[in-house]
Structures are given as structure tokens and as C-alpha cells.
């Protein structure tokens, strides 16, 4: 589903590359943690998958396509197939919960009829069936993250990218979010989650890919966060 072939990414200016000859393969339906200290290259890797960045050298494939060679007009279609969730939720503050989720479908031109069916189903999936009319600031952090996940998943993307999704949440709320990401993964969606959250990685054992100075230094099935940190 995602393949990096000797991917190097240098930002302008001096210094070592943000990613250095990274090769990895993530299959359809996998759940992968991307771990490593701040500055190790996690966000750069995620942004390459979205083609927000291009590799300096090497190739990035998503669903079999080398996305660096993809025509610019096809990039929105690629991104539509990749849901994204962030530490800071990024909800639209002036839209209700249901409207936040519906908006993701409106911008891609889905019919009102579809939206009216899919939005309530997705809110139910994330456990917010009765909160569609609330505004984001009326919700807890964990509930806001559920809305963000609903919005990311409402279009049933093939990949869900989560960048520190539990970073602003307390441990018990984080467990609920992980269970939800696990449910989404069970539907066949490939999940790639960048995280610093040792407790979560050790509790929900999944494949762990560790970056250090832009290099993959560990790639382990059902790994732990690792005691060197
Ligand atoms: P992480 O997500 O693991 O914290 P990043 O991918 O954000 O790591 O950063 C990897 C390296 O690339 C760091 O040294 C960082 O300073 C550098 N970097 C990230 N974004 C930029 C940018 N836009 N311009 C220049 N350097 C950047
Ligand atoms: P409009 O397009 O008429 O401005 P809104 O922006 O109010 O509609 O809502 C957009 C979509 O959000 C609606 O089509 C509906 O599917 C969904 N929606 C709005 N409120 C709710 C709710 N409380 N529960 C479930 N879905 C809702």
C-alpha cells in the first residue's frame, strides 16, 4: 500500500537529510507505528505519502503508483483516499460536529442524499451519535478527536495517517481513541500513526518502525516503544 525505495529528503540549507535512504513496505490493512525522537523524520515521511513533499531522490509508491510522477491534477484524488488526523484536531470551529464531518463529503461533491446517510452512520461508528448538533468547543478533547477521526474516515479512505493523535489526550481517553483506530484498521484501512506515546505503543502492540536521524533503525512486528528512550 505504501512503499519507500531509497527515499532521501533534503530540505534547503546545510545539514543532514531529514530522511536518508529509507526503504520500507507497508501492506494493505497493516497498522504501523512510526516512532523516533523529535526531528527524526516522522512528519517528513507522512508528508511524502500525501505528496505534500517530494523526495530529493528515491521513490514513493502509494497503492502501486509512484506518486512523485503523478500529474498534479491527480494529487487531490490521491489525498482523498488518505484520511489525516492530527494532535490538535483541526476542526472547523464554526461548524457543528455533523457539519464538520459532512463538509469532508461536500468538498468532494457527494450528493446531499449520500451525505445524509453517511454522516450519521459515521458519527455512530465513532460513538458520537447524539452529538451531531454540538459545536466543537462544547466537546472534550477525546470527543473532538473522535470527530476528527470521523471526518478522516467518512470517505472510507484506503489509508489513515495519524500524526500524534493522542498527544493532547490523557491516558484513559487515549485508549478509547486507540480502540477506535483499531476498529477502523479492522475494516481494512491501513493505519500509519506517528507517535511519542510509549504507553500506547507498549499497550497496543503493532508493527513499530523507528527512525533516527532520518534512517530506519528498527522495524519490528508487534514491537514495543523501546527502552532506549
Ligand atoms: P519529526 O516529525 O520526527 O519530528 P521532521 O520530519 O519534522 O521530524 O523533521 C526531520 C528533520 O527535518 C529535522 O531536522 C527538521 O528540523 C527538518 N525539517 C522538517 N521540516 C523542515 C522544513 N520545512 N525546512 C527545513 N527543515 C525541516
Ligand atoms: P446545509 O447544506 O443545508 O447547510 P448543514 O451544513 O446544516 O446543511 O449540514 C450538512 C449536513 O450535515 C447535512 O446534509 C446532514 O447530512 C448533516 N447533519 C447536520 N446536522 C446533523 C445531525 N444533527 N446529525 C446528523 N447529521 C447531520
Amino acid at each position: 500500500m505504501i512503499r519507500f525505495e531509497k527515499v532521501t529528503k533534503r530540505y534547503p540549507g546545510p545539514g543532514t537529510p531529514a530522511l536518508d535512504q529509507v526503504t520500507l513496505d507497508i501492506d494493505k490493512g497493516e497498522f504501523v507505528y512510526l516512532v523516533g525522537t523529535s526531528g527524526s523524520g516522522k512528519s517528513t515521511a507522512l508528508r511524502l505519502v500525501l505528496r505534500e513533499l517530494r523526495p530529493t531522490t528515491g521513490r514513493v509508491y502509494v497503492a502501486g503508483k509512484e506518486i512523485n510522477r503523478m500529474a498534479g491534477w491527480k494529487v487531490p484524488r490521491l489525498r482523498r483516499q488518505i484520511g489525516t488526523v492530527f494532535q490538535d484536531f483541526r476542526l472547523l470551529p464554526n461548524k457543528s460536529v455533523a457539519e464538520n464531518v459532512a463538509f469532508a463529503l461536500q468538498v468532494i461533491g457527494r450528493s446531499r442524499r449520500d451525505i445524509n446517510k453517511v454522516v450519521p452512520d459515521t458519527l455512530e461508528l465513532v460513538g458520537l451519535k447524539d452529538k451531531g448538533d454540538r459545536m466543537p468547543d462544547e466537546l472534550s478533547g477525546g470527543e473532538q478527536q473522535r470527530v476528527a477521526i470521523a471526518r478522516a474516515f467518512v470517505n472510507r479512505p484506503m489509508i489513515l495517517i495519524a500524526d500524534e493523535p493522542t498527544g493532547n489526550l490523557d491516558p484513559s481517553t487515549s485508549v478509547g481513541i486507540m480502540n477506535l483506530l483499531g476498529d477502523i484498521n479492522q475494516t481494512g484501512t491501513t493505519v500509519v500513526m506517528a507517535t511519542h506515546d510509549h504507553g500506547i505503543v507498549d499497550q497496543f502492540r503493532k508493527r513499530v518502525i523507528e527512525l533516527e536521524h532520518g534512517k530506519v533503525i528498527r522495524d519490528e512486528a508487534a514491537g514495543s516503544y523501546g527502552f532506549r528512550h
Side-chain angles (χ1 to χ4, degrees):
M1 180 59 57
I2 299 171
R3 179 183 185 85
F4 280 39
E5 273 179 16
K6 295 187 178 171
V7 171
T8 294
K9 174 65 190 177
R10 287 181 182 281
Y11 291 103
T16 55
L19 287 182
D20 191 358
Q21 297 275 324
V22 168
T23 294
L24 55 84
D25 250 303
I26 296 172
D27 286 340
K28 178 168 166 43
E30 277 198 272
F31 191 119
V32 178
Y33 292 118
L34 204 52
V35 308
T37 52
S38 182
S40 59
K42 303 183 296 296
S43 303
T44 298
L46 298 180
R47 295 182 66 202
L48 284 163
V49 174
L50 290 160
R51 218 183 92 165
E52 290 177 13
L53 297 171
R54 287 163 181 256
T56 308
T57 58
R59 297 192 174 91
V60 178
Y61 297 86
V62 174
K65 295 201 176 65
E66 192 197 336
I67 60 170
N68 194 35
R69 291 164 57 108
M70 183 179 278
W73 64 271
K74 289 184 178 168
V75 172
R77 191 169 71 192
L78 167 76
R79 292 188 186 147
R80 247 180 256 152
Q81 299 179 79
I82 307 175
T84 50
V85 175
F86 301 94
Q87 176 169 0
D88 56 359
F89 320 136
R90 303 194 187 177
L91 302 177
L92 297 166
N94 301 321
K95 288 187 180 287
S96 71
V97 165
E99 288 166 350
N100 263 278
V101 179
F103 189 65
L105 296 171
Q106 287 166 348
V107 295
I108 63 171
R110 293 279 291 272
S111 71
R112 173 171 294 240
R113 199 162 146 238
D114 275 1
I115 294 174
N116 285 342
K117 170 156 174 40
V118 175
V119 170
D121 288 352
T122 306
L123 288 178
E124 181 160 11
L125 173 80
V126 303
L128 294 176
K129 184 159 70 90
D130 301 321
K131 304 219 165 157
D133 291 328
R134 300 290 186 88
M135 299 305 284
D137 66 6
E138 298 173 319
L139 303 181
S140 69
E143 288 172 330
Q144 290 185 53
Q145 194 60 297
R146 286 174 185 274
V147 179
I149 292 169
R151 182 178 60 182
F153 187 63
V154 69
N155 192 34
R156 299 295 189 269
M158 54 188 187
I159 299 170
L160 185 75
I161 284 179
D163 197 350
E164 300 281 357
T166 62
N168 280 334
L169 305 176
D170 62 53
S172 67
T173 307
S174 298
V175 167
I177 292 298
M178 290 309 296
N179 284 328
L180 180 54
L181 293 177
D183 292 345
I184 284 174
N185 178 236
Q186 287 296 312
T187 72
T189 297
T190 306
V191 178
V192 183
M193 171 172 161
T195 186
H196 282 112
D197 196 331
H198 300 224
I200 287 295
V201 173
D202 292 345
Q203 189 175 348
F204 296 85
R205 293 289 176 111
K206 305 284 183 187
R207 180 176 171 193
V208 175
I209 298 174
E210 181 172 1
L211 292 171
E212 190 176 277
H213 303 308
K215 290 193 169 77
V216 175
I217 60 161
R218 179 164 64 112
D219 186 347
E220 201 175 7
S224 62
Y225 196 97
F227 32 65
R228 292 182 296 107
H229 302 284

Coordinates of all heavy atoms in Angstrom, one line a residue, residues 80-123:
R80 N -7.7 12.3 -1.4 CA -9.0 11.9 -0.9 C -9.0 10.5 -0.4 O -9.9 10.1 0.3 CB -9.9 12.0 -2.2 CG -11.0 13.0 -2.1 CD -11.8 13.0 -3.3 NE -11.4 14.1 -4.2 CZ -11.6 14.0 -5.5 NH1 -12.0 12.9 -6.1 NH2 -11.2 15.1 -6.2
Q81 N -8.0 9.7 -0.9 CA -8.0 8.3 -0.4 C -7.1 8.1 0.8 O -6.9 7.0 1.2 CB -7.5 7.5 -1.6 CG -8.4 7.6 -2.8 CD -7.8 6.7 -3.9 OE1 -8.0 5.5 -4.0 NE2 -7.2 7.4 -4.9
I82 N -6.7 9.2 1.4 CA -5.9 9.2 2.6 C -6.5 10.1 3.6 O -6.5 11.3 3.4 CB -4.4 9.6 2.3 CG1 -3.8 8.8 1.1 CG2 -3.6 9.5 3.5 CD1 -2.5 9.2 0.7
G83 N -7.0 9.5 4.7 CA -7.5 10.4 5.8 C -6.4 10.8 6.7 O -5.4 10.1 6.8
T84 N -6.5 12.0 7.2 CA -5.5 12.5 8.1 C -6.1 13.0 9.5 O -7.1 13.6 9.5 CB -4.7 13.7 7.5 OG1 -5.6 14.7 7.0 CG2 -3.8 13.2 6.4
V85 N -5.3 12.7 10.5 CA -5.7 13.1 11.9 C -4.5 13.6 12.6 O -3.4 13.1 12.4 CB -6.2 11.8 12.7 CG1 -6.5 12.2 14.1 CG2 -7.5 11.2 12.0
F86 N -4.7 14.8 13.3 CA -3.5 15.4 13.9 C -3.7 15.6 15.4 O -4.8 15.4 15.9 CB -3.4 16.8 13.3 CG -3.1 16.8 11.8 CD1 -4.2 16.9 10.9 CD2 -1.8 16.5 11.3 CE1 -4.0 16.8 9.6 CE2 -1.6 16.5 9.9 CZ -2.7 16.6 9.1
Q87 N -2.6 15.9 16.1 CA -2.7 16.1 17.5 C -3.7 17.2 18.0 O -4.3 17.0 19.0 CB -1.2 16.5 18.0 CG -1.1 16.8 19.4 CD 0.4 17.0 19.8 OE1 1.3 16.8 19.0 NE2 0.6 17.2 21.0
D88 N -3.7 18.2 17.1 CA -4.6 19.4 17.5 C -5.9 19.4 16.9 O -6.6 20.4 16.8 CB -3.8 20.7 17.3 CG -3.3 20.8 15.8 OD1 -3.6 19.8 15.0 OD2 -2.7 21.8 15.4
F89 N -6.4 18.2 16.4 CA -7.8 18.0 16.0 C -8.1 18.7 14.7 O -8.7 18.2 13.7 CB -8.9 18.3 17.0 CG -8.5 17.9 18.4 CD1 -8.7 18.8 19.5 CD2 -7.9 16.7 18.7 CE1 -8.4 18.4 20.8 CE2 -7.6 16.3 20.0 CZ -7.8 17.1 21.0
R90 N -7.9 20.1 14.6 CA -8.1 20.9 13.4 C -9.5 20.8 12.9 O -9.8 20.7 11.7 CB -7.2 20.4 12.3 CG -5.7 20.5 12.7 CD -4.7 20.5 11.6 NE -3.4 20.4 12.1 CZ -2.3 20.3 11.4 NH1 -2.4 20.2 10.1 NH2 -1.1 20.2 11.9
L91 N -10.5 20.9 13.8 CA -11.9 21.0 13.4 C -12.2 22.4 13.0 O -11.6 23.4 13.4 CB -12.8 20.6 14.6 CG -12.5 19.2 15.1 CD1 -13.4 18.9 16.3 CD2 -12.8 18.1 14.0
L92 N -13.3 22.6 12.2 CA -13.8 23.9 11.9 C -14.6 24.4 13.0 O -15.7 23.8 13.3 CB -14.6 23.8 10.6 CG -13.8 23.4 9.4 CD1 -14.7 23.0 8.2 CD2 -12.8 24.4 8.9
P93 N -14.2 25.5 13.7 CA -14.8 25.9 15.0 C -16.3 26.4 14.8 O -17.1 26.3 15.7 CB -13.9 27.0 15.5 CG -13.2 27.5 14.3 CD -13.1 26.4 13.4
N94 N -16.6 26.9 13.6 CA -17.9 27.4 13.4 C -18.9 26.5 12.8 O -20.0 26.9 12.4 CB -17.8 28.7 12.5 CG -16.9 29.7 13.2 OD1 -17.0 29.9 14.4 ND2 -16.1 30.4 12.4
K95 N -18.5 25.2 12.7 CA -19.4 24.2 12.2 C -19.7 23.2 13.3 O -18.8 22.9 14.1 CB -18.8 23.5 11.0 CG -18.8 24.4 9.7 CD -18.3 23.5 8.5 CE -18.3 24.3 7.2 NZ -19.6 24.6 6.7
S96 N -20.9 22.7 13.3 CA -21.3 21.6 14.2 C -20.5 20.4 14.0 O -19.8 20.2 12.9 CB -22.8 21.3 14.1 OG -23.0 20.6 12.9
V97 N -20.6 19.4 14.9 CA -19.9 18.1 14.7 C -20.3 17.5 13.4 O -19.5 17.1 12.6 CB -20.3 17.2 15.9 CG1 -20.0 15.8 15.6 CG2 -19.6 17.7 17.2
A98 N -21.6 17.4 13.1 CA -22.1 16.8 11.9 C -21.7 17.5 10.7 O -21.3 16.9 9.7 CB -23.6 16.6 11.9
E99 N -21.7 18.9 10.8 CA -21.3 19.7 9.6 C -19.8 19.5 9.4 O -19.3 19.5 8.2 CB -21.6 21.1 9.9 CG -23.1 21.4 9.8 CD -23.4 22.8 10.4 OE1 -22.6 23.5 11.0 OE2 -24.6 23.2 10.2
N100 N -19.0 19.4 10.4 CA -17.5 19.1 10.2 C -17.3 17.8 9.4 O -16.5 17.8 8.5 CB -16.8 19.0 11.5 CG -16.1 20.3 12.0 OD1 -15.0 20.6 11.5 ND2 -16.8 21.0 12.8
V101 N -18.1 16.8 9.7 CA -18.0 15.5 9.0 C -18.5 15.6 7.6 O -17.9 15.2 6.7 CB -18.6 14.4 9.9 CG1 -18.5 13.1 9.1 CG2 -18.0 14.3 11.2
A102 N -19.7 16.3 7.5 CA -20.4 16.4 6.2 C -19.5 17.2 5.3 O -19.5 16.9 4.1 CB -21.7 17.1 6.4
F103 N -18.8 18.2 5.8 CA -18.0 19.1 5.0 C -17.0 18.3 4.1 O -16.7 18.7 2.9 CB -17.3 20.2 5.8 CG -16.7 21.3 5.0 CD1 -17.4 22.1 4.3 CD2 -15.3 21.4 5.1 CE1 -16.8 23.2 3.6 CE2 -14.7 22.4 4.4 CZ -15.4 23.3 3.6
A104 N -16.4 17.3 4.7 CA -15.4 16.5 4.0 C -16.0 15.8 2.8 O -15.3 15.6 1.8 CB -14.8 15.4 4.9
L105 N -17.3 15.6 2.8 CA -18.0 15.0 1.7 C -18.5 16.0 0.7 O -18.5 15.8 -0.5 CB -19.2 14.1 2.2 CG -18.8 12.9 3.0 CD1 -20.0 12.3 3.7 CD2 -18.0 11.9 2.2
Q106 N -18.9 17.2 1.3 CA -19.4 18.3 0.4 C -18.3 18.7 -0.5 O -18.5 18.9 -1.7 CB -19.9 19.4 1.3 CG -21.2 19.1 1.9 CD -21.6 20.1 3.1 OE1 -20.8 20.9 3.5 NE2 -22.8 20.1 3.5
V107 N -17.1 18.9 0.0 CA -16.0 19.4 -0.8 C -15.6 18.4 -2.0 O -15.0 18.9 -2.9 CB -14.7 19.8 0.0 CG1 -15.0 20.9 0.9 CG2 -14.1 18.6 0.7
I108 N -15.9 17.2 -1.8 CA -15.6 16.3 -2.9 C -16.9 16.0 -3.8 O -16.9 15.1 -4.6 CB -15.0 14.9 -2.5 CG1 -15.9 14.2 -1.6 CG2 -13.7 15.2 -1.8 CD1 -15.4 12.7 -1.3
G109 N -17.9 16.8 -3.5 CA -19.1 16.8 -4.4 C -20.0 15.6 -4.2 O -20.8 15.3 -5.2
R110 N -20.0 15.0 -3.1 CA -21.0 13.9 -2.8 C -22.4 14.5 -2.7 O -22.6 15.6 -2.2 CB -20.6 13.2 -1.5 CG -19.3 12.4 -1.7 CD -19.5 11.0 -2.4 NE -20.3 10.1 -1.6 CZ -19.8 9.3 -0.7 NH1 -18.5 9.3 -0.5 NH2 -20.6 8.5 0.0
S111 N -23.4 13.7 -3.1 CA -24.8 14.2 -3.1 C -25.3 14.4 -1.7 O -24.8 13.7 -0.7 CB -25.7 13.3 -3.8 OG -25.8 12.1 -3.1
R112 N -26.2 15.3 -1.5 CA -26.8 15.6 -0.2 C -27.4 14.3 0.3 O -27.4 14.0 1.5 CB -27.9 16.6 -0.3 CG -28.7 16.8 0.9 CD -29.6 18.1 0.8 NE -28.7 19.3 0.7 CZ -28.8 20.3 1.6 NH1 -29.6 20.2 2.6 NH2 -28.0 21.3 1.5
R113 N -28.0 13.5 -0.6 CA -28.6 12.2 -0.2 C -27.6 11.3 0.5 O -27.8 10.7 1.5 CB -29.3 11.6 -1.4 CG -30.3 10.6 -1.1 CD -31.2 10.3 -2.3 NE -31.5 8.9 -2.2 CZ -31.3 8.0 -3.1 NH1 -30.7 8.4 -4.3 NH2 -31.6 6.8 -2.9
D114 N -26.5 11.1 -0.2 CA -25.4 10.3 0.4 C -25.0 10.8 1.7 O -24.8 10.1 2.7 CB -24.2 10.4 -0.6 CG -24.2 9.4 -1.7 OD1 -25.2 8.7 -1.8 OD2 -23.2 9.4 -2.5
I115 N -24.8 12.2 1.7 CA -24.2 12.8 3.0 C -25.2 12.5 4.1 O -24.8 12.2 5.2 CB -24.0 14.3 2.7 CG1 -22.8 14.5 1.7 CG2 -23.6 15.0 4.0 CD1 -22.6 15.9 1.3
N116 N -26.5 12.7 3.8 CA -27.5 12.5 4.9 C -27.5 11.1 5.5 O -27.9 10.9 6.6 CB -28.9 12.8 4.4 CG -29.1 14.3 4.2 OD1 -28.3 15.1 4.8 ND2 -30.1 14.7 3.4
K117 N -27.0 10.1 4.7 CA -26.9 8.8 5.2 C -25.6 8.5 5.9 O -25.5 7.9 7.0 CB -27.1 7.8 4.0 CG -26.8 6.4 4.4 CD -27.5 5.4 3.6 CE -27.1 3.9 4.0 NZ -26.9 3.8 5.4
V118 N -24.5 8.9 5.2 CA -23.2 8.5 5.6 C -22.7 9.2 6.9 O -22.1 8.7 7.8 CB -22.2 8.8 4.5 CG1 -20.7 8.5 5.0 CG2 -22.5 7.9 3.3
V119 N -23.1 10.5 7.1 CA -22.7 11.3 8.3 C -23.2 10.6 9.5 O -22.4 10.3 10.5 CB -23.0 12.8 8.1 CG1 -22.8 13.5 9.5 CG2 -22.2 13.4 7.0
P120 N -24.5 10.4 9.7 CA -25.0 9.7 10.9 C -24.4 8.4 11.2 O -24.0 8.0 12.3 CB -26.5 9.6 10.7 CG -26.8 10.6 9.6 CD -25.6 10.7 8.8
D121 N -24.2 7.6 10.1 CA -23.5 6.3 10.3 C -22.1 6.4 10.8 O -21.7 5.6 11.7 CB -23.4 5.5 8.9 CG -24.8 5.0 8.4 OD1 -25.8 5.1 9.2 OD2 -24.8 4.6 7.3
T122 N -21.4 7.4 10.3 CA -20.0 7.6 10.8 C -20.0 8.1 12.2 O -19.1 7.7 13.0 CB -19.3 8.5 9.8 OG1 -19.4 7.9 8.5 CG2 -17.8 8.6 10.1
L123 N -20.9 9.0 12.5 CA -20.9 9.5 13.9 C -21.2 8.4 14.9 O -20.7 8.3 16.0 CB -22.0 10.6 14.0 CG -21.6 12.0 13.4 CD1 -22.7 13.0 13.5 CD2 -20.3 12.5 14.0

